[in-house]
Amino acid sequence: AAAALPGPALRLSLGGWGQLVNPSGVAACPRSGRLAVVHDGKKRIKVFGASGACVRQFGERGEAGNDVKYPLDVAVTLDGHVVVSDGGDRSVKAFDLEGRGTLAVREGFSLPWGLDITRENEVMVTDSEAGALYRLAADFGKGKLRKLQVIQSKLSSPRGVAVAQASGTTAVIEHLRAKGANNSSTRVKIFSADMKLIGQMDSFGLNLIFPSKIYATAVAFDKEGQVIVTDVYNQAVACLGKPEEFPVFKPIISQGLSYPVGLTYMANNSLVVLDGGDHSVKIYSST
């Protein structure tokens, strides 16, 4: 019955071959509705307007301080700064929407990966190598770091992270190490606003209610507070329900994706999926 649920309709596809090279992260600007995408091109950050046109690109590939060596994820702050996790020099960098670098935080990280913005305009950062979740507070306009603290440790290769704006609930995707090349799996952990563990679901738990293996690569919250994940094994996007409802599995998008690696919601509730298979950004209407 779940597979027959009506899903969102594809409204727009951005980028594609030639424009986006191995894209790794996507984020929506809460004020302008624009989308920021990080990829492996000469300029690592592309900003798309609502019509689908690329309106700006910046973040040069290179060795200078504000260059972007190997972008892993992107987020956009409430005041319009683009924040990038750079695996190349293990830093978190911020840019204004004109592309000027305003801040680079290199101290303290082992391998910063996933990013999202809290309702207090702070940045949640997963550190895959350190097994930690950080909270970063800064004045991005003035380029001043105010605080960088570990708020969760002993996580297993955490990557994707999302914060529910209404509740402050945080979701983290862990990548679990296992023996054998084909035994890797993922786990979604949910923390309350005060960082208490309130729910989790791993690939094994999902196997009990869904016959195929699930491998989650990105996570987001919809406006109802439900946890939404991309699943590269099944080339799909699925709803896991609210944390108190775990386990639930409802496919949202089950066709038209080849390797979904990024996920976000726009202010108009459109669902945005970054597809690494055909190097595109796909925007789905909520109806």
Side-chain angles (χ1 to χ4, degrees):
L5 290 172
L10 180 63
R11 180 170 64 83
L12 195 63
S13 183
L14 316 178
W17 295 104
Q19 267 209 300
L20 296 175
V21 182
N22 299 324
S24 53
V26 61
C29 178
R31 291 192 309 180
S32 68
R34 292 177 173 179
L35 291 172
V37 180
V38 288
H39 72 129
D40 201 26
K42 184 178 179 182
K43 293 188 177 181
R44 301 302 180 98
I45 303 163
K46 280 184 178 285
V47 179
F48 293 94
S51 66
C54 178
V55 296
R56 188 162 281 112
Q57 51 185 330
F58 51 89
E60 295 282 346
R61 177 173 55 199
E63 299 299 320
N66 287 325
D67 288 348
V68 179
K69 296 174 175 60
Y70 193 78
L72 294 170
D73 201 6
V74 63
V76 183
T77 67
L78 303 182
D79 54 353
H81 287 83
V82 178
V83 183
V84 177
S85 53
D86 191 340
D89 62 2
R90 300 169 186 258
S91 68
V92 172
K93 297 170 181 173
F95 301 83
D96 63 22
L97 280 176
E98 300 300 315
R100 294 181 291 258
T102 63
L103 180 68
V105 181
R106 295 181 175 85
E107 300 294 326
F109 293 119
S110 296
L111 185 58
W113 199 297
L115 303 170
D116 202 14
I117 306 299
T118 72
R119 52 190 173 176
E120 296 83 20
N121 204 36
E122 297 177 342
V123 187
M124 290 290 200
V125 186
T126 61
D127 190 316
S128 185
E129 200 168 278
L133 177 66
Y134 287 83
R135 181 185 280 120
L136 185 159
D139 184 326
F140 294 102
K142 294 181 179 178
K144 290 185 178 180
L145 176 67
R146 290 176 174 158
K147 178 178 65 176
L148 179 64
Q149 66 178 134
V150 176
I151 55 174
Q152 281 293 326
S153 59
K154 299 182 180 178
L155 299 172
S156 177
S157 297
R159 296 185 187 175
V161 61
V163 181
Q165 294 299 305
S167 64
T169 303
T170 299
V172 177
I173 296 177
E174 295 180 293
H175 290 243
L176 308 179
R177 299 181 181 89
K179 294 180 180 179
N182 297 319
N183 290 328
S184 59
S185 61
T186 56
R187 176 169 57 206
V188 181
K189 279 187 174 177
I190 310 295
F191 298 95
S192 63
D194 57 357
M195 297 315 296
K196 290 183 171 62
L197 182 67
I198 56 175
Q200 65 179 15
M201 180 185 288
D202 57 22
S203 299
F204 176 76
L206 280 174
N207 265 68
L208 300 178
I209 57 172
F210 187 68
S212 177
K213 186 174 182 178
I214 307 297
Y215 197 89
T217 46
V219 62
F221 286 93
D222 68 11
K223 65 178 181 179
E224 282 84 33
Q226 299 183 110
V227 180
I228 312 297
V229 296
T230 54
D231 171 21
V232 294
Y233 278 166
N234 297 286
Q235 301 173 307
V237 175
C239 173
L240 302 184
K242 296 181 179 180
E244 61 269 22
E245 298 171 344
F246 276 20
V248 171
F249 186 86
K250 295 182 289 186
I252 297 175
I253 304 169
S254 55
Q255 295 180 333
L257 298 174
S258 53
Y259 199 82
V261 294
L263 189 66
T264 192
Y265 275 92
M266 301 176 72
N268 64 3
N269 205 38
S270 292
L271 175 61
V272 181
V273 182
L274 182 64
D275 195 332
D278 60 8
H279 300 210
S280 69
V281 180
K282 294 168 181 173
I283 303 175
Y284 295 83
S285 64
S286 56
T287 55

